[in-house]
Amino acid sequence: MKISYKKLWVRLIERDITKPQMRKDLNLATGTMSKLNKGEEVALSVLLRICGYLDCDIGDICEVVRGNKE
């Protein structure tokens, strides 16, 4: 299973917030932003900070993507 942050990027666009602006406002490390951009796992505490920043629920910024069993 993988995680997708597409909902986060859409929400940022809807609110006219750039990724660099969010990173600056939340004081996120560049490595954390890199993980978000690559769809890698980040700490729950980071996701909760983003939720607080955007005034939303965690399901509004990310979702689990199930891969095909091969």
Side-chain angles (χ1 to χ4, degrees):
M1 286 191 279
K2 297 181 87 175
I3 191 160
S4 171
Y5 299 107
K6 288 181 185 178
K7 290 180 175 183
L8 169 60
W9 310 135
V10 170
R11 190 165 286 261
L12 289 178
I13 291 168
E14 290 173 348
R15 296 191 181 198
D16 198 28
I17 301 171
T18 64
K19 290 179 184 182
Q21 183 63 47
M22 181 186 75
R23 187 183 83 74
K24 180 182 173 189
D25 291 346
L26 294 175
N27 196 27
L28 296 176
T30 53
T32 300
M33 281 303 295
S34 179
K35 285 182 176 185
L36 287 168
N37 285 319
K38 293 177 184 177
E40 297 176 357
E41 296 175 9
V42 297
L44 180 59
S45 60
V46 171
L47 296 177
L48 293 176
R49 283 174 44 206
I50 294 171
C51 287
Y53 176 69
L54 296 173
D55 191 29
C56 66
D57 191 22
I58 198 161
D60 297 329
I61 62 168
C62 63
E63 64 184 340
V64 174
V65 178
R66 301 185 193 283
N68 293 337
K69 294 181 180 177
E70 296 180 25

